[in-house]
Amino acid sequence: MDKVRIENLYVETIIGFYHWEHEEPQPLQIDLELGADFSDAFVSDDLPDALDYATLSRRVKQYCQASRFHLLEALCGGILKLIFTEFAVQSVKLVIRKPHALRDAIPSVECFRTREQMGIHWSPQKDAQ
């Protein structure tokens, strides 16, 4: 399987368990590793045959900015659903870091899911790219 990586996608969102965390957006750093088959793009050299990572990044940022979760884990689940619904990928590895959550460390959550595990079937009509 071929992969596209998007690293250190910066987004600010309202997230957190504690009341004070809902007063203003907090920064998050997101890494994505997206598995797909790029065989058609090898030959065509056309964007529709590849993964449009600019559009995908923009959609993830929009989703995060509009979301209001308590847990990074719940945000991960929402991002995974979004990607599998809107993009022709077979697997997603997702890491979300919350750099201001702790004084002496940067906590993160990492998830890996396949389209099959998520139970979201792909059809070309869904292609948002």
Side-chain angles (χ1 to χ4, degrees):
M1 188 172 305
D2 306 308
K3 294 181 183 176
V4 165
R5 288 187 180 91
I6 300 168
E7 298 177 350
N8 289 318
L9 180 65
Y10 179 85
V11 65
E12 291 189 358
T13 189
I14 302 289
I15 190 164
F17 181 77
Y18 300 105
H19 175 68
W20 60 267
E21 292 181 291
H22 294 263
E23 294 174 5
E24 62 183 66
Q26 297 181 63
L28 300 178
Q29 296 169 318
I30 299 173
D31 295 341
L32 295 159
E33 183 176 282
L34 308 146
D37 181 358
F38 301 139
S39 297
D40 291 343
F42 294 166
V43 176
S44 72
D45 196 27
D46 288 331
L47 184 57
D49 291 331
L51 182 60
D52 184 347
Y53 49 81
T55 298
L56 190 143
S57 297
R58 188 172 40 256
R59 285 293 294 126
V60 169
K61 285 186 82 153
Q62 290 168 346
Y63 179 83
C64 290
Q65 291 166 341
S67 71
R68 298 293 182 266
F69 289 104
H70 290 138
L71 302 175
L72 290 177
E73 293 85 347
L75 178 58
C76 279
I79 293 171
L80 289 167
K81 288 177 192 170
L82 168 82
I83 292 171
F84 284 119
T85 300
E86 296 187 13
F87 298 90
V89 299
Q90 294 304 312
S91 66
V92 177
K93 177 181 171 185
L94 169 64
V95 178
I96 303 179
R97 288 180 296 284
K98 192 174 176 186
H100 296 167
L102 298 174
R103 183 179 311 242
D104 300 328
I106 299 175
S108 65
V109 171
E110 179 177 321
C111 298
F112 175 84
R113 292 292 184 278
T114 64
R115 178 173 294 284
E116 184 178 340
Q117 288 172 314
M118 293 296 290
I120 300 173
H121 301 287
W122 177 255
S123 63
Q125 301 91 321
K126 290 183 183 177
D127 199 347
Q129 302 177 51

